[in-house]
Amino acid sequence: MKKKALLTPPRRLFWFSWKLLVAFSLALCILALISLHSSPSTTDLAAASLSRRSRPPSDSFLGRPKIAFLFLTRRNLPLDFLWGSFFENGDVANFSIYIHSAPGFVFDESTTRSHFFFGRQLENSIQVAWGKSSMIAAERLLLEAALEDPANQRFVLLSDSFLDAKEGRYNPKMSPAIPKSKWRKGSQWISLIRSHAEVVVDDDIIFPIFGLFCKRRPPVDASKGNMNTKLQKQHNCIPDEHYVQTLLALNELEGELERRTVTYTLWNQSTTKMENKGWHPITFTYANAGPRQIKEIKGIDHVYYETEFRTEWCRNNSTFVPCFLFARKFSQGAAMRLLSEGVVSHFDASALLDKKID
């Protein structure tokens, strides 16, 4: 029986080096695959960097400023005829319009009753689901498109910002990138100045964390029976009610903000068989959307926040002003009454453009 020949030292060194090279190559391949799935591509990062470099400084624009109206909708705009009348009263040089709708949906003569919306849809829109990070992704797309025009100095989605004192939506897994002391809550409808809009669009750290750890809990479904108990134990978070407010807090910008809403909402606490008790916005109908009700809304000059036990007086710098520039929610019947009774007034852009802070 022949014995297996022993490898000489040079051959042993060769085989060891070859195995080490193969292992190192496999490790590099695995790391490359992980990087492709977990990180933005070099092209994406380069494009984002180029976009930031090509964007003019937020305080360098010297021309006539505009307001960018950003519409986030499922498909069409149900009250486009009311908005059309609103814009008809304004100077087209004072505003611009951007719409995020369902991918492929086009605003033209067949889908909208107002020419102001023709062709104003984003070409890179995404499918959006309420209560998921796709909502704030769509907001970022709207802001990004509007920032391409240096004349756009204010961006309107309309909302407020206040501490999340009672709802427990903060997920400890967000720490340390998002400490609990910086967690904020508000509505997704916001008004931003240009420098703050740039902070939202340029963020590539906080947004991915929201995608991972801020998710809406599934609603109660009677058909699932006892499974609901398990589902309702999941952490509940609504991304679009926290993202912008928390991001601005993390960037130490709260001193530049007004912590109140510019959109009036009438809330009512209600219960249905399919959901837990909660606050829901009342929809104005033909019967309760007359001139008197609108005048009352316009006359409101302070807001009391029950969760913080504080009253916010509405000012533009040191001057007291009406709190609300917009209101929700209105049925088509209510919208028709507002038009027929001449409630929709002249669109004065200075009401937004003259403000120095959000």
Side-chain angles (χ1 to χ4, degrees):
M1 183 175 180
K2 294 182 179 180
K3 293 183 178 180
K4 186 176 181 181
L6 297 175
L7 294 174
T8 61
R11 292 184 65 188
R12 187 181 298 115
L13 181 61
F14 171 78
W15 281 107
F16 176 76
S17 300
W18 183 80
K19 291 179 179 178
L20 185 63
L21 179 61
V22 171
F24 183 69
S25 299
L26 287 173
L28 285 178
C29 290
I30 293 172
L31 287 173
L33 286 173
I34 293 174
S35 178
L36 283 173
H37 286 283
S38 61
S39 303
S41 68
T42 304
T43 302
D44 291 338
L45 291 174
S49 177
L50 179 62
S51 175
R52 295 175 193 179
R53 288 198 303 269
S54 62
R55 188 188 305 151
S58 58
D59 58 352
S60 66
F61 180 74
L62 300 177
R64 188 175 185 177
K66 294 194 296 185
I67 304 168
F69 287 90
L70 313 179
F71 291 87
L72 184 58
T73 181
R74 294 187 182 119
R75 287 182 64 81
N76 64 334
L77 288 167
L79 301 183
D80 56 355
F81 60 93
L82 183 62
W83 278 107
S85 178
F86 173 74
F87 291 128
E88 201 74 56
N89 289 321
D91 186 341
V92 292
N94 287 337
F95 65 90
S96 52
I97 298 172
Y98 303 84
I99 307 173
H100 185 288
S101 186
F105 189 87
V106 176
F107 283 80
D108 56 24
E109 296 89 342
S110 65
T111 58
T112 180
R113 290 160 286 191
S114 173
H115 65 89
F116 287 104
F117 300 115
F118 289 175
R120 301 312 305 160
Q121 72 281 347
L122 300 188
E123 298 299 328
N124 60 341
S125 63
I126 60 174
Q127 197 64 45
V128 174
W130 181 81
K132 296 188 177 181
S133 60
S134 57
M135 186 77 77
I136 53 179
E139 292 177 14
R140 282 158 54 96
L141 288 173
L142 282 166
L143 288 169
E144 183 179 30
L147 281 170
E148 293 179 3
D149 183 351
N152 289 329
Q153 295 294 303
R154 187 166 291 273
F155 307 78
V156 178
L157 279 169
L158 311 171
S159 177
D160 57 341
S161 174
F162 49 91
L163 293 173
D164 181 24
K166 296 183 178 181
E167 294 197 38
R169 291 180 177 175
Y170 177 76
N171 190 334
K173 293 180 180 179
M174 295 177 175
S175 182
I178 306 176
K180 190 173 183 178
S181 61
K182 295 295 185 181
W183 184 247
R184 299 291 184 267
K185 178 182 181 294
S187 169
Q188 78 177 114
W189 312 118
I190 53 179
S191 173
L192 297 175
I193 59 176
R194 188 175 181 88
S195 60
H196 295 168
E198 290 174 343
V199 170
V200 176
V201 171
D202 293 344
D203 167 45
D204 54 10
I205 297 176
I206 303 305
F207 176 66
I209 295 174
F210 265 75
L212 290 173
F213 302 119
C214 183
K215 300 179 180 180
R216 173 179 174 251
R217 179 190 300 144
V220 175
D221 186 346
S223 66
K224 294 184 178 180
N226 294 333
M227 180 62 70
N228 281 306
T229 302
K230 182 178 180 180
L231 292 173
Q232 293 309 301
K233 290 181 180 179
Q234 296 181 20
H235 189 269
N236 188 44
C237 183
I238 310 298
D240 54 270
E241 294 185 358
H242 297 275
Y243 172 67
V244 172
Q245 294 81 3
T246 298
L247 179 63
L248 295 179
L250 288 167
N251 281 272
E252 305 297 338
L253 293 171
E254 288 189 293
E256 302 177 17
L257 308 176
E258 287 189 16
R259 295 171 60 211
R260 64 177 178 86
T261 181
V262 291
T263 300
Y264 178 81
T265 306
L266 183 61
W267 296 92
N268 178 45
Q269 193 173 37
S270 62
T271 298
T272 68
K273 295 180 180 179
M274 296 299 293
E275 59 183 294
N276 295 326
K277 180 179 289 187
W279 292 94
H280 302 277
I282 292 177
T283 298
F284 289 95
T285 64
Y286 184 92
N288 61 2
R292 181 178 63 82
Q293 289 86 353
I294 300 302
K295 183 178 180 181
E296 290 175 354
I297 294 173
K298 289 182 176 181
I300 298 173
D301 59 4
H302 67 279
V303 180
Y304 178 69
Y305 292 93
E306 294 184 3
T307 58
E308 298 180 64
F309 308 103
R310 69 177 179 90
T311 298
E312 184 80 21
W313 291 91
C314 304
R315 298 181 178 90
N316 181 10
N317 296 325
S318 59
T319 304
F320 285 96
V321 296
C323 291
F324 303 110
L325 302 176
F326 301 87
R328 61 188 289 262
K329 302 168 59 174
F330 290 87
S331 67
Q332 292 211 18
M336 292 300 296
R337 182 177 179 183
L338 294 177
L339 285 178
S340 63
E341 298 190 20
V343 177
V344 178
S345 60
H346 177 71
F347 167 33
D348 182 8
S350 63
L352 279 173
L353 291 173
D354 286 348
K355 289 194 172 188
K356 302 303 181 185
I357 56 179
D358 287 13

